[in-house]
Amino acid sequence: MTSKLISALTASALLLAGASNAAAATKTAVFAGGCFWSMEKGFESTPGVISAVSGYSGGASTRPTYENHTGHLEAVKVTYDPAKISYARLVDSYYHHIDPTDPYGQICDKGPSYKLAVFTADASERAVAEAARAKYEKQLRAKITVVTRAAVAFYNAEDYHQDYYKKNPVAYERYRIGCGRPQALRAVWGGQEAR
């Protein structure tokens, strides 16, 4: 082999190793916060978050669909860079994108699949989620309805739900404004809500 070919192969191997290490450095977390369209939009605008995927989690069925996801919560799987955002800050971001005191769902989306939950992967994440719950219960002087649940399987929602706010910006804004989401979050967070 020529030295140029060896150099090219070495450079390619280093690039692939770097890409693999970067991918290994990311983590995922799952949150249920009402309509997954809004959660996806909120997390994707959070610094340190790489992506958010709409889906279903928490139920028994292994093939949930939008038409039939009984037992599952609408949720988002967030991929993030822990060097840029800690899990604790991610949980704080989650809280500021929801009304954590709503016992029936989230804003205008009511019912079992819109309930609030932080799905935790281990004892460390559970401790962070529980500390956030206690902190916001004290800060808001209200009962927090976010539950901490052990992480279980996450199922991606249908393609038409992914990046809905990007693909259908007018329809999404009509839903968001019509639902009263900005006003509801402002009422809870007094201007400290995430945007």
Side-chain angles (χ1 to χ4, degrees):
M1 280 196 212
T2 68
S3 62
K4 285 184 182 180
L5 181 57
I6 292 171
S7 294
L9 289 172
T10 302
S12 294
L14 289 173
L15 282 173
L16 288 173
S20 177
N21 287 341
T26 63
K27 294 184 87 176
T28 61
V30 176
F31 300 92
C35 173
F36 46 41
W37 296 344
S38 296
M39 286 285 85
E40 185 179 16
K41 181 181 189 294
F43 276 116
E44 287 187 344
S45 67
T46 303
V49 169
I50 296 162
S51 68
V53 175
S54 293
Y56 314 100
S57 194
S61 75
T62 58
R63 293 189 175 180
T65 64
Y66 189 68
E67 290 74 26
N68 184 13
H69 57 273
T70 302
H72 285 282
L73 302 177
E74 282 197 17
V76 290
K77 180 168 68 174
V78 177
T79 301
Y80 67 101
D81 181 347
K84 295 181 179 174
I85 186 170
S86 67
Y87 182 74
R89 288 189 42 95
L90 198 64
V91 171
D92 283 339
S93 178
Y94 162 74
Y95 267 90
H96 285 84
H97 281 96
I98 61 169
D99 171 359
T101 67
D102 188 337
Y104 305 109
Q106 195 54 197
I107 311 191
C108 68
D109 296 308
K110 305 297 184 188
S113 66
Y114 297 113
K115 299 276 180 131
L116 307 170
V118 177
F119 291 92
T120 58
D122 56 32
S124 172
E125 287 185 1
R126 176 172 278 285
V128 168
E130 291 297 318
R133 179 187 167 102
K135 173 176 104 174
Y136 290 119
E137 201 157 78
K138 184 176 180 181
Q139 178 183 329
L140 298 174
R141 295 186 182 120
K143 179 173 173 36
I144 299 298
T145 61
V146 176
V147 296
T148 305
R149 295 176 63 174
V152 292
F154 177 89
Y155 302 93
N156 289 3
E158 297 80 353
D159 285 343
Y160 69 91
H161 286 298
Q162 305 303 331
D163 292 319
Y164 186 84
Y165 74 98
K166 290 179 188 173
K167 295 176 194 171
N168 304 285
V170 173
Y172 175 74
E173 281 301 304
R174 191 170 35 246
Y175 155 76
R176 188 179 75 84
I177 301 300
C179 192
R181 188 172 187 82
Q183 299 88 332
L185 294 180
R186 197 172 307 115
V188 171
W189 295 106
Q192 298 295 314
E193 69 276 3
R195 301 187 193 250

